[in-house]
């Protein structure tokens, strides 16, 4: 008999005994018969207790046990579900490129995803429960969050961070409401890193400006001399011939520019497929030199070719690699004084075939070396244009080599010359 049953039994005995004694007093039963009444009451109480235990207490305990077990299972299930939801939320937020920051109405951080921590380079990851202005040290971001919390409205702003490096973020802050839309809960901020988009936009703007300038200069010259001829210079044969030569020169410059732009565009968009075949790099160098033979002789340059013996064949598009060497050799000829020396060498170096085009020309100042392979970038703009350059030759070199899985490099000393190096995989 359990504790509950014992309590019920004692209560029933007491209650029935008192009831029988009261009944005996009312009916004026002799006191000598009270012992029988007490015995009868006890027997009735025990019988009633046994019946209650069988038909009431035990079923009730079983129901309670089942209910408690069911409640326990449901609680465990809910806890597991919440843990799964949290794990899933963490996994989703961690895999997102965008950063997510959730702040309650009391300005305390509820959630801060890893991308936000990385984007803003926060010092500590212990951020939950702390005021956002204590963790985030950017005044623009804090003002944006404060504005949204105060006005309970969505706001958006592009923010620039200058340290440790220049970065651009688009931050969108939206209010968070309860399910019935009556209670304001806080705000959620989403951070988009738009630095790459900004960089592309800047490059696009620079490219359009450079192309416009490169096209406008020869067109202006052509137009000016054409008008001069039209106004009467055609009748002077000597002047007419001179002006026509200038027009032809600038028209040819336009043609070179358009050709280089189309070539670069085709390489960058991968519209032109490489015709890969194993070939000798020495043969490609000889072909490029033969093409520039007349120009080398005109400038009285000394050309030295050093090709290491037994170089392996390279899997390459021979015509494209020939264009690479032509562009580098053309630059060396243009920027090397008459009777200077140009050296082309090829050797095997750490799984790469290295091709060097070295000159004894004017050289390149150190501050320009990191940008020398950019489109339209010139160290000496006026001199480059006078020599007929389009500003795209080295950019074409870089993209062709990269399309072959290789890399380019440059070393230079002002006044002593430059060495441009091409590295092509010796086996692909």
């Amino acid at each position: 008999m359990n504790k509950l049953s014992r309590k019920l039994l004692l209560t029933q005995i007491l209650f029935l005994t008192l009831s029988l004694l009261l009944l005996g007093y009312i009916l004026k039963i002799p006191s000598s018969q009270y012992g029988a009444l007490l015995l009868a009451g006890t027997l009735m109480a025990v019988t009633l207790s046994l019946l209650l235990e069988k038909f009431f207490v035990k079923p009730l305990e079983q129901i309670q046990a089942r209910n408690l077990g069911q409640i326990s299972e449901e609680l465990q299930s809910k806890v597991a579900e919440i843990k799964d939801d949290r794990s899933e939320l963490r996994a989703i937020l961690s895999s997102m490129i965008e950063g997510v920051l959730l702040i309650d109405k009391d300005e305390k951080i509820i959630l801060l995803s890893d991308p936000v921590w990385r984007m803003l380079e926060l010092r500590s990851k212990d951020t939950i429960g702390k005021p956002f202005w204590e963790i985030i040290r950017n005044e623009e971001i804090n003002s944006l969050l404060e504005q949204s919390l105060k006005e309970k409205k969505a706001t958006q702003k592009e923010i620039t961070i200058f340290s440790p490096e220049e970065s651009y973020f688009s931050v969108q802050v939206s209010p968070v409401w309860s399910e019935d839309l009556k209670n304001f809960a806080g705000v959620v901020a989403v951070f988009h890193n738009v630095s790459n988009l900004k960089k592309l936009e800047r490059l696009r703007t620079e490219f359009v400006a450079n192309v416009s300038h490169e096209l406008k200069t020869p067109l202006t010259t052509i137009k000016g001399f054409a008008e001069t001829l039209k106004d009467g210079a055609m009748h002077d044969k000597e002047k007419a011939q001179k002006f026509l030569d200038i027009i032809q020169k600038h028209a040819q410059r336009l043609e070179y520019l358009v050709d280089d732009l189309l070539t670069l565009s085709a390489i960058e968009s991968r519209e032109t497929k490489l015709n890969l075949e194993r070939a000798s790099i020495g043969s490609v160098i000889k072909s490029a030199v033969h093409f520039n033979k007349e120009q080398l002789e005109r400038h009285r340059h000394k050309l030295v070719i050093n090709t290491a013996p037994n170089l392996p064949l390279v899997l390459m598009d021979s015509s494209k690699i020939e264009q690479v060497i032509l562009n580098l050799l053309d630059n060396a000829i243009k920027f090397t004084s008459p009777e200077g020396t140009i050296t082309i060498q090829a050797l095997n170096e750490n799984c790469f075939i290295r091709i060097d085009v070295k000159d004894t020309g004017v050289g390149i100042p150190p501050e320009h070396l990191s940008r020398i392979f950019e489109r339209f970038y010139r160290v000496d703009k006026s001199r480059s244009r006078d020599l007929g350059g389009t500003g795209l030759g080295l950019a074409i070199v870089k993209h062709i080599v990269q399309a072959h899985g290789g890399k380019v490099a440059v070393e230079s000393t002002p006044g002593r010359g430059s060495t441009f190096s091409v590295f092509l995989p010796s086996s692909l």
Side-chain angles (χ1 to χ4, degrees):
M1 184 178 290
N2 59 32
K3 189 181 289 185
L4 178 60
S5 299
R6 286 197 298 271
K7 285 183 179 180
L8 285 171
L9 177 58
L10 291 174
T11 304
Q12 290 162 7
I13 291 172
L14 181 61
F15 176 74
L16 288 172
T17 301
L18 291 173
S19 299
L20 288 173
L21 289 173
L22 181 60
L23 181 62
Y25 177 78
I26 294 171
L27 296 177
K28 297 181 178 180
I29 296 173
S31 57
S32 59
Q33 296 182 5
Y34 277 7
L37 285 172
L38 290 172
L39 180 60
T42 302
L43 291 172
M44 289 175 65
V46 171
T47 303
L48 183 59
S49 177
L50 291 171
L51 290 171
L52 286 172
E53 183 176 358
K54 181 177 181 180
F55 296 105
F56 176 73
V57 175
K58 285 187 176 179
L60 181 61
E61 288 177 345
Q62 291 172 355
I63 291 170
Q64 287 177 335
R66 283 198 300 271
N67 286 343
L68 287 172
Q70 185 177 355
I71 290 170
S72 177
E73 288 178 3
E74 289 179 356
L75 284 173
Q76 290 177 1
S77 176
K78 288 292 184 184
V79 169
E81 187 178 340
I82 290 169
K83 286 182 178 178
D84 289 342
D85 288 345
R86 285 183 177 177
S87 298
E88 186 176 347
L89 179 61
R90 278 197 296 269
I92 291 171
L93 292 175
S94 297
S95 63
M96 288 175 61
I97 298 174
E98 294 82 5
V100 179
L101 172 64
L102 186 59
I103 300 170
D104 66 16
K105 62 182 179 180
D106 297 321
E107 300 186 350
K108 292 182 179 179
I109 296 173
I110 299 174
L111 183 147
L112 188 147
S113 69
D114 287 343
V116 175
W117 186 83
R118 290 193 296 270
M119 287 177 188
L120 303 182
E121 296 195 344
L122 302 179
R123 296 179 181 178
S124 171
K125 284 195 173 184
D126 182 20
T127 58
I128 306 303
K130 294 184 178 180
F132 69 85
W133 39 264
E134 190 177 295
I135 301 299
I136 299 172
R137 300 294 183 176
N138 186 282
E139 188 175 335
E140 283 188 274
I141 295 174
N142 288 341
S143 298
L144 195 67
L145 294 171
E146 287 171 2
Q147 180 185 348
S148 186
L149 283 166
K150 182 179 179 181
E151 299 177 359
K152 301 179 178 61
K153 292 181 180 179
T155 57
Q156 184 174 2
K157 189 176 182 181
E158 193 170 280
I159 291 171
T160 305
I161 296 177
F162 294 99
S163 178
E165 61 181 18
E166 190 173 341
S167 303
Y168 299 89
F169 298 95
S170 174
V171 184
Q172 184 172 356
V173 187
S174 303
V176 178
W177 299 87
S178 59
E179 291 185 6
D180 56 7
L181 300 178
K182 292 182 179 179
N183 298 317
F184 176 67
V187 296
V188 59
V190 180
F191 293 73
H192 303 267
N193 191 335
V194 294
S195 300
N196 288 336
L197 291 175
K198 282 288 183 181
K199 184 179 179 181
L200 289 173
E201 178 63 24
R202 185 167 59 246
L203 288 173
R204 186 192 67 82
T205 303
E206 290 176 358
F207 178 74
V208 171
N210 284 324
V211 170
S212 300
H213 182 77
E214 293 296 332
L215 290 172
K216 187 176 180 180
T217 302
L219 283 174
T220 302
T221 304
I222 291 170
K223 183 182 176 183
F225 282 103
E227 288 176 350
T228 304
L229 287 169
K230 189 178 178 181
D231 290 341
M234 286 185 64
H235 303 296
D236 187 330
K237 289 185 178 182
E238 186 177 345
K239 285 186 178 180
Q241 185 61 48
K242 181 181 177 181
F243 292 166
L244 288 171
D245 288 342
I246 293 172
I247 289 173
Q248 184 181 20
K249 177 184 174 182
H250 284 276
Q252 193 173 46
R253 180 181 166 186
L254 278 176
E255 183 183 3
Y256 289 155
L257 177 61
V258 172
D259 286 345
D260 282 353
L261 282 171
L262 292 174
T263 299
L264 188 58
S265 176
I267 297 168
E268 287 183 334
S269 63
R270 297 185 180 180
E271 291 178 2
T272 302
K273 293 184 178 180
L274 297 177
N275 183 23
L276 297 175
E277 56 183 9
R278 295 197 176 276
S280 166
I281 197 67
S283 299
V284 175
I285 291 172
K286 287 180 182 178
S287 178
V289 168
H290 178 74
F291 189 86
N292 273 304
K293 186 178 180 181
E294 184 181 337
Q295 194 177 1
L296 286 162
E297 290 175 351
R298 188 167 62 251
H299 287 82
R300 303 190 304 280
H301 288 142
K302 179 183 177 182
L303 180 65
V304 179
I305 300 176
N306 293 322
T307 304
N310 302 320
L311 283 178
L313 299 179
V314 180
L315 187 62
M316 60 181 172
D317 186 326
S318 297
S319 63
K320 293 289 188 294
I321 298 302
E322 182 178 338
Q323 185 175 4
V324 166
I325 298 170
L326 279 171
N327 286 6
L328 294 178
L329 187 55
D330 184 61
N331 271 6
I333 293 170
K334 288 176 181 175
F335 294 99
T336 300
S337 301
E339 300 183 359
T341 301
I342 297 173
T343 304
I344 303 176
Q345 67 176 4
L347 60 142
N348 205 342
E349 183 179 290
N350 298 327
C351 300
F352 284 94
I353 299 298
R354 173 174 175 168
I355 307 158
D356 292 334
V357 178
K358 183 178 181 180
D359 63 57
T360 56
V362 295
I364 304 167
E367 63 269 20
H368 296 284
L369 292 177
S370 62
R371 299 190 61 188
I372 200 68
F373 290 99
E374 292 181 13
R375 291 177 293 187
F376 295 113
Y377 190 81
R378 292 185 174 93
V379 176
D380 186 339
K381 293 181 174 58
S382 60
R383 180 175 182 179
S384 179
R385 289 195 184 96
D386 290 342
L387 294 171
T390 64
L392 295 172
L394 291 178
I396 291 172
V397 166
K398 183 184 77 171
H399 283 85
I400 289 177
V401 173
Q402 287 179 344
H404 282 77
K407 57 185 179 180
V408 293
V410 60
E411 294 179 358
S412 186
T413 303
R416 298 184 62 182
S418 305
T419 301
F420 285 85
S421 301
V422 171
F423 298 85
L424 296 174
S426 56
S427 60
L428 294 175

